[in-house]
Amino acid sequence: GQNIDQPTEMTATEGAIVQINCTYQTSGFNGLFWYQQHAGEAPTFLSYNVLDGLEEKGRFSSFLSRSKGYSYLLLKELQMKDSASYLCAVRDTGGFKTIFGAGTRLFVKA
Amino acid sequence: DAGVTQSPTHLIKTRGQHVTLRCSPISGHKSVSWYQQVLGQGPQFIFQYYEKEERGRGNFPDRFSARQFPNYSSELNVNALLLGDSALYLCASSLETGTSRGYTFGSGTRLTVV
């Protein structure tokens, strides 16, 4: 079967750092994505990992360990506008199916 | 350059009816995927089309079907609507199937079945 787990909700303070974890069990693997989705809007692409290690892009970084079926998204210098849902998604081996987790709702407080 | 466009934006249908949702991908993008998103959940994969052929199908009943046209636009059809089909239907466009750039999503069609 295929399963992607993320915490349901997290709260953090403006200016702080937050780490959103994702564990996955899928029949195949051809990359892991993180998307941001503000309430009432479509998801937007944040990051992509296919090899183990850390990918950094501005205030956002994403890490992958394929042997552990584990990824995290790290958000630094949190801003109020970062309040959103963060979706972890895994693409299967053939590249024809990308499965999403239920998402983590992040609340950033002043 | 236009993004991914979906129509209609909102739709109300009665149980048992049929619905057609439309998507135009970003110019040059050959892959279109359809997702269903229920409030509070992540998007659920329905179909992926690439070069006008179905390349992937999620765990949805046969009431759901789709197709991709020569200009790479796509339609999602749902027959015999059920109350549980009420959701946001998202179209996702990508240049190819194995891209590292992720999907670009349209704003979605909000379907309400009454």
Side-chain angles (χ1 to χ4, degrees):
Chain A
Q2 304 190 74
N3 194 47
I4 298 176
D5 287 318
Q6 311 177 229
T8 304
E9 288 185 1
M10 299 182 70
T11 301
T13 304
E14 193 175 18
I17 299 173
V18 70
Q19 177 174 313
I20 302 174
N21 295 324
C22 169
T23 57
Y24 64 90
Q25 291 176 308
T26 56
S27 55
F29 180 86
N30 188 19
L32 187 143
F33 299 85
W34 285 94
Y35 287 83
Q36 180 190 60
Q37 186 174 27
H38 285 101
E41 298 182 11
T44 55
F45 168 71
L46 288 177
S47 68
Y48 169 73
N49 295 71
V50 68
L51 299 176
D52 290 354
L54 188 68
E55 294 285 340
E56 297 186 82
K57 190 186 295 185
R59 294 190 298 115
F60 294 7
S61 302
S62 56
F63 172 83
L64 174 67
S65 169
R66 289 171 297 170
S67 62
K68 295 181 179 178
Y70 168 71
S71 173
Y72 67 73
L73 180 69
L74 193 71
L75 291 74
K76 305 174 187 174
E77 301 170 14
L78 279 173
Q79 302 174 11
M80 299 299 288
K81 68 178 182 179
D82 297 328
S83 293
S85 285
Y86 291 85
L87 301 163
C88 174
V90 174
R91 183 169 62 198
D92 72 359
T93 306
F96 299 128
K97 180 188 293 187
T98 298
I99 306 300
F100 283 78
T104 299
R105 291 184 67 189
L106 175 66
F107 298 92
V108 180
K109 59 182 182 179
Chain B
D1 191 18
V4 180
T5 57
Q6 292 187 244
S7 62
T9 54
H10 295 82
L11 201 54
I12 299 176
K13 288 286 192 178
T14 304
R15 275 179 299 176
Q17 286 189 313
H18 161 270
V19 68
T20 298
L21 310 181
R22 296 178 175 83
C23 171
S24 292
I26 290 173
S27 178
H29 282 197
K30 299 179 180 180
S31 176
V32 169
S33 297
W34 286 96
Y35 286 84
Q36 180 195 68
Q37 187 173 28
V38 175
L39 195 62
Q41 296 295 315
Q44 297 295 309
F45 175 74
I46 310 176
F47 287 109
Q48 184 183 56
Y49 277 78
Y50 178 69
E51 287 284 15
K52 293 152 282 183
E53 291 188 10
E54 181 186 305
R55 300 301 183 105
R57 171 186 279 259
N59 191 24
F60 279 78
D62 291 344
R63 299 185 296 108
F64 289 75
S65 64
R67 55 180 175 169
Q68 187 176 34
F69 299 98
N71 66 353
Y72 301 111
S73 67
S74 178
E75 283 182 355
L76 175 70
N77 295 283
V78 187
N79 292 323
L81 284 167
L82 303 174
L83 295 179
D85 296 331
S86 295
L88 179 68
Y89 288 84
L90 293 165
C91 173
S93 160
S94 62
L95 192 61
E96 55 192 26
T97 57
T99 181
S100 63
R101 299 181 184 179
Y103 291 143
T104 301
F105 282 89
S107 298
T109 294
R110 172 73 61 188
L111 173 64
T112 302
V113 182
V114 297

